[in-house]
Amino acid sequence: MKEMVFMRERLSGHYGVTEFVVSNTISSTPCLAVMIIIPGTVLYYLTGLTRGAGHFVYFVTMLCMCTLLVESMMMIIAVVVPDFLMGIVVGAGLQGVMMLNGGFFRLPNELPKPVWRYPCYYISFHKYAVQGFYKNEFAGQTFASDQLVMANSMITGHQVLETLQVEMWYPKWVNLAILFGMTQDDVLCNRQVAERVRPRLRGMKCSLK
C-alpha cells in the first residue's frame, strides 16, 4: 500500500525517492525507539550490566542504531526483492552470514582470513556493535579473579577486552559513529537502488513476459 501511494505521488511530482526514504526513516524511528527502550531497560537491569546513566544511554543508543541499520538494510532488500517471503529469506540469510563473522561466535583471529575475515568481518555491522557493547561493559572496570586460578587477585576490564580481541585503539563512541555512518550509507544506497535497479528489474520482467 505504501509503495502504491509513493509511486502515485512520485509520478505526480510531489516528491522524489530521497524525500520518501528520509521521511519514512524518520517517521519509523519513534516507534522503533519505544520498542527498543522498554525491553532494553528491562534487560539492562535484570542482567546486572554496569550501572550508570552514561553506560545505559550508550547501550540503548547502540540498540536503536542497530535496529535502524537493519531496517534500512531490509528496505534495500525490499526494493530489489519485491516478494515478501523471498525478502525475508534473503534478509535472514544476510543477517546470519554477518552474525557468523561479527566476532561473537568465533574470536576475530580465529576466523579464516580469506573471505570470512577479509572482507566479511570488517563489513559486518555486528563487529562494531559487539565491540561497542564490550567496551561499554568492561572498559575501566575491575573484577574479582577466579579464585581457582589466582586467589585474592583482581582482573581489569582491559584484560578482559584483550582476551576477547577487542580493538582498543579507539573509544566506544567510534563504534557508534561507524554504525551511524553505515545507516546513512544504506539510506543513500536505498535511493540509488530505487531509482536505477528497480526500474531495470521491472523492465527485465516485462521483457520476459
Side-chain angles (χ1 to χ4, degrees):
M1 181 63 183
K2 184 184 295 185
E3 180 182 359
M4 295 176 62
V5 174
F6 163 68
M7 294 299 297
R8 184 178 70 249
E9 297 293 328
R10 184 188 180 192
L11 291 175
S12 300
H14 295 299
Y15 52 80
V17 176
T18 303
E19 292 78 7
F20 172 76
V21 172
V22 173
S23 61
N24 183 69
T25 302
I26 295 175
S27 63
S28 63
T29 298
C31 181
L32 292 175
V34 172
M35 294 171 58
I36 294 166
I37 292 174
I38 295 177
T41 303
V42 175
L43 171 68
Y44 191 87
Y45 288 101
L46 283 181
T47 53
L49 298 179
T50 302
R51 298 300 177 90
H55 292 279
F56 174 74
V57 169
Y58 182 89
F59 176 82
V60 173
T61 305
M62 182 66 82
L63 285 180
C64 291
M65 195 57 61
C66 290
T67 306
L68 286 175
L69 182 54
V70 173
E71 180 83 3
S72 59
M73 289 176 59
M74 293 305 297
M75 287 176 63
I76 296 175
I77 294 174
V79 172
V80 179
V81 186
D83 183 77
F84 178 74
L85 293 178
M86 185 58 66
I88 293 177
V89 172
V90 173
L94 180 61
Q95 290 290 324
V97 172
M98 297 178 71
M99 288 174 62
L100 292 175
N101 296 280
F104 180 78
F105 294 102
R106 294 191 66 178
L107 294 176
N109 293 339
E110 297 177 356
L111 292 172
K113 290 185 178 180
V115 181
W116 303 112
R117 179 73 182 273
Y118 305 104
C120 289
Y121 173 67
Y122 290 96
I123 64 177
S124 171
F125 78 90
H126 297 80
K127 165 191 182 301
Y128 306 100
V130 168
Q131 292 203 4
F133 285 131
Y134 282 160
K135 293 176 184 178
N136 187 55
E137 181 63 22
F138 295 109
Q141 304 294 322
T142 56
F143 308 93
S145 177
D146 188 350
Q147 299 299 306
L148 297 176
V149 176
M150 185 180 299
N152 301 322
S153 65
M154 303 295 291
I155 183 173
T156 65
H158 187 80
Q159 291 174 298
V160 176
L161 293 174
E162 286 183 340
T163 303
L164 296 172
Q165 300 177 9
V166 175
E167 299 171 351
M168 297 300 298
W169 55 275
Y170 56 87
K172 64 181 182 180
W173 298 103
V174 174
N175 295 96
L176 186 61
I178 292 174
L179 291 181
F180 179 79
M182 286 184 170
T183 304
Q184 301 307 308
D185 288 341
D186 280 354
V187 172
L188 295 176
C189 182
N190 194 2
R191 172 193 172 187
Q192 297 295 325
V193 170
E195 290 182 339
R196 300 180 181 180
V197 178
R198 186 68 176 272
R200 293 180 182 178
L201 292 176
R202 288 182 174 177
M204 292 175 60
K205 287 182 179 180
C206 292
S207 62
L208 291 176
K209 291 180 181 180

